[in-house]
Amino acid sequence: MRVLFVTAEAYPLAKTGGLADVSRALPLALARRGVDVRLLLPGYPRAYTRIEKPRIVAKLDPMLGIDDATLVSGLFPDVELPVWLIDSPTLFRRDGGLYQDHSGKDWPDNALRFAFLAHAAARLALQRTRIDWKPDIVHANDWHAGLLPLLLSLEKGPKPSTVFTTHNMAFQGNFAADVLPSIGVPESCHTTDGTEFYGQISFLKAGLSYGDRVTTVSPTYAREILTPDFGCGMDGVLRHRGAEFSGILNGIDDALWDPASDIHLPQTYRASDISGKRTCKATLQHELGLPVAPETPLIGFVSRLTHQKMADTILSAIPWIAEQSAQLVVVGEGDPAIEAAMSKIRAKYPHQVSVTIGYDEPLAHRLQAGSDILLAPARFEPCGLTQLYALRYGTLPVVRRTGGLADTVVDADATAIANRSATGFMFDDTTMRGLITALGRALTLYQEPLTWRRLQLHAMAQDFSWDASAAKYVDLYSAVSGIPHTPIDRNVRGKDEIPETARQIAR
Ligand code: ADP
Ligand code: GLC
């Protein structure tokens, strides 16, 4: 079974959020099951410098007015995953973010950049490049790859089946309809059943409408987005897909996110001996200029600072948190107003609140290990990965009962504590009261070390590895393509174990 996995991010080549984590871990888990999976990504400068053995393998014929694009093949730096980057100086080789410039403004040519990603993927998938590899399934992710199922649907001849995954319905890739002629989408597709969305062209709607199968990243979010409250205007499109739409829960890369081997931690630890977590906490407190106080509960928040993540609500809860004699460590970036307000409030509570504005992967690991409690509230959450990392690190999450958060955390109510199934704290209201009620319960339980330890051990014992969910994707690929797949258990983790076939891809 051959799968072309098309995405705008994949850790460690390019990352702004959970899409990058999934776009590494899911393909790895598929490869481990014997699927021949290859990634296609835009050739951002950092991705280009990070891949191993980069090699130009094809020049792409001019399309959409772009005539400087080549396909560069390579391998992930640390694991056996083959990847193609689209190297185009015009579209992708530029300073700034993946989607925005340094000032946070969307690149004005995003429609063209990601339309090009889709067109290049379609050419690759239809063997219209010099590359002799034919996928059975094309798996397109998020709006960035949304036009790909549409383009393949227009093909009359043999073609791969398509799966489209939405990781977040709020990110839609909507553009003024006048871009249509420049992105190679025929007028005939620009209808209410196709790409038209309130007068604009929507890349997300294209993916949702034309994918042979459509998925999202947790069962609860899959149910939620069938309703107007969560569907971001596209719930009708999804309802129309009926049984062709489903939710498959994300997993985590349990090698990268493992407190027993995490290279970013000052001391590793495991469930059988959690003592290293105390060192991680002390080191984090010291590093961030907070009093090194082992008994003070340390609350972490590592997230995009946005309305989705209730960063505004956390902001309003900070005076309350300070009154509880707890410490709060915030690492994030996002909404400039929230960033500014976070920095301002930090100055008011220098001994209790630390705020790091920016993106810092190693610090995210140290925060997970050094915190006692992780805040992961959200107004909506397709899956959420930080709460999964927290569970693995024995850091009990406080989450709202929505989307993937509801699917992955068991609230520590009296029954769940008694029957030892509790792993965190949940609330329903999208208010500060809702948040602090759950956080208050966590802080109270923190004062009962034996119960707390039991919850930590139970949290750490949860299995959120990709194995089960990767098997569900394989079943879906089989169902949509008619191609059977017998899993082979391959260890593809270590670089030294890269088989010759995979190495050849890089040559
Ligand atoms: P989303 O993709 O909606 O932002 P997820 O929970 O799925 O949320 O994934 C977020 C990912 O981004 C996690 O790997 C998290 O550790 C990481 N992350 C978020 N903000 C930061 C930051 N400021 N620095 C480092 N890592 C971050
Ligand atoms: C999106 C969602 C997040 C999910 C991630 C990976 O960024 O907001 O909930 O975990 O994608 O699927």
Side-chain angles (χ1 to χ4, degrees):
M1 183 180 274
R2 299 193 195 93
V3 177
L4 178 64
F5 194 92
V6 184
T7 177
E9 304 186 15
Y11 181 81
L13 305 178
K15 171 167 171 173
T16 68
L19 171 65
D21 295 12
V22 171
S23 297
R24 166 204 178 89
L26 170 57
L28 256 184
L30 292 168
R32 234 176 279 132
R33 300 182 74 80
V35 176
D36 179 359
V37 56
R38 304 182 189 195
L39 280 85
L40 179 71
L41 252 89
Y44 316 107
R46 278 165 72 91
Y48 194 71
T49 53
R50 283 180 187 180
I51 60 169
E52 263 201 8
K53 302 184 181 163
R55 186 168 169 270
I56 298 173
V57 285
K59 171 146 180 51
L60 290 171
D61 292 339
M63 52 185 167
L64 310 184
I66 302 296
D67 61 4
D68 64 358
T70 51
L71 279 180
V72 174
S73 83
L75 289 171
F76 274 56
D78 53 343
V79 286
E80 178 206 328
L81 261 190
V83 55
W84 284 296
L85 299 180
I86 302 170
D87 186 25
S88 159
T90 311
L91 296 177
F92 300 121
R93 243 198 261 163
R94 55 179 74 164
D95 246 18
L98 308 187
Y99 317 116
Q100 296 167 333
D101 64 17
H102 282 303
S103 74
K105 256 183 55 206
D106 283 353
W107 294 115
D109 56 350
N110 270 348
L112 177 64
R113 296 171 79 225
F114 293 103
F116 194 87
L117 173 67
H119 281 272
R123 284 209 181 164
L124 190 57
L126 296 166
Q127 289 195 287
R128 293 187 188 148
T129 68
R130 276 188 43 228
I131 292 163
D132 183 24
W133 183 80
K134 186 166 141 248
D136 306 302
I137 294 107
V138 167
H139 189 159
N141 290 274
D142 266 355
W143 73 264
H144 321 103
L147 294 186
L148 178 52
L150 179 156
L151 295 175
L152 290 173
S153 79
L154 298 172
E155 278 301 314
K156 300 275 176 284
K159 58 187 171 194
S161 310
T162 57
V163 172
F164 178 75
T165 296
T166 168
H167 295 256
N168 193 329
M169 294 290 284
F171 298 111
Q172 305 192 326
N174 298 337
F175 302 95
D178 60 12
V179 301
L180 209 60
S182 63
I183 58 173
V185 170
E187 280 285 345
S188 59
C189 295
H190 195 56
T191 62
T192 44
D193 296 339
T195 57
E196 196 273 336
F197 187 61
Y198 294 101
Q200 294 193 295
I201 167 155
S202 171
F203 283 33
L204 173 64
K205 193 173 170 195
L208 301 177
S209 306
Y210 291 94
D212 293 327
R213 291 287 188 281
V214 175
T215 70
T216 190
V217 290
S218 72
T220 295
Y221 191 61
R223 284 192 297 278
E224 288 172 341
I225 60 182
L226 293 172
T227 69
D229 283 351
F230 290 88
C232 300
M234 298 198 191
D235 42 293
V237 182
L238 288 172
R239 285 197 299 275
H240 187 68
R241 298 306 311 256
E244 290 168 354
F245 166 62
S246 61
I248 300 178
L249 190 67
N250 281 340
I252 63 172
D253 186 321
D254 54 0
L256 275 186
W257 291 93
D258 180 359
S261 59
D262 191 328
I263 53 167
H264 301 299
L265 306 190
Q267 194 177 329
T268 54
Y269 58 93
R270 54 184 72 243
S272 57
D273 176 8
I274 205 173
S275 58
K277 191 166 170 63
R278 291 175 76 84
T279 310
C280 293
K281 178 171 175 177
T283 312
L284 186 69
Q285 289 170 322
H286 178 72
E287 168 188 359
L288 299 174
L290 295 172
V292 176
E295 308 311 331
T296 301
L298 199 163
I299 304 163
F301 179 52
V302 53
S303 174
R304 289 186 283 119
L305 301 179
T306 60
H307 185 257
Q308 176 194 341
K309 305 290 185 178
M310 291 178 71
D312 50 329
T313 314
I314 290 179
L315 194 59
S316 350
I318 290 179
W320 180 87
I321 291 173
E323 274 170 28
Q324 313 310 303
S325 308
Q327 293 176 343
L328 174 70
V329 169
V330 176
V331 177
E333 60 182 4
D335 182 335
I338 300 180
E339 287 184 358
M342 284 281 185
S343 301
K344 197 164 156 211
I345 204 161
R346 191 213 78 86
K348 212 171 152 195
Y349 303 104
H351 301 299
Q352 285 182 271
V353 178
S354 155
V355 173
T356 306
I357 300 297
Y359 197 91
D360 187 333
E361 187 80 22
L363 181 56
H365 285 247
R366 295 198 297 278
L367 179 149
Q368 289 283 9
S371 303
D372 299 300
I373 296 167
L374 182 88
L375 287 181
R379 290 188 167 85
F380 63 92
E381 193 62 83
C383 180
L385 297 172
T386 60
Q387 84 282 10
L388 300 180
Y389 301 145
L391 292 170
R392 191 120 205 264
Y393 283 64
T395 304
L396 301 185
V398 172
V399 304
R400 206 169 84 76
R401 198 185 316 272
T402 187
L405 301 172
D407 290 338
T408 54
V409 175
V410 178
D411 182 52
D413 60 18
T415 319
I417 292 177
N419 69 20
R420 303 188 173 211
S421 60
T423 58
F425 305 87
M426 248 188 227
F427 63 99
D428 290 285
D429 293 356
T430 51
T431 58
M432 185 177 105
R433 178 136 306 281
L435 172 70
I436 65 179
T437 306
L439 183 54
R441 286 198 287 130
L443 292 171
T444 304
L445 215 60
Y446 182 76
Q447 303 306 328
E448 294 178 30
L450 284 180
T451 314
W452 191 264
R453 176 56 49 89
R454 221 168 59 212
L455 257 68
Q456 280 183 306
L457 293 182
H458 189 63
M460 293 177 84
Q462 302 301 301
D463 180 4
F464 286 110
S465 66
W466 262 102
D467 295 342
S469 294
K472 289 188 180 146
Y473 276 105
V474 170
D475 288 346
L476 184 74
Y477 297 155
S478 279
V480 68
S481 66
I483 294 173
H485 179 71
T486 318
I488 318 165
D489 205 8
R490 282 172 53 207
N491 178 2
V492 293
R493 180 148 288 148
K495 200 151 72 172
D496 298 340
E497 293 156 319
I498 297 177
E500 193 52 23
T501 46
R503 289 189 181 281
Q504 276 163 6
I505 296 157
R507 283 191 203 123

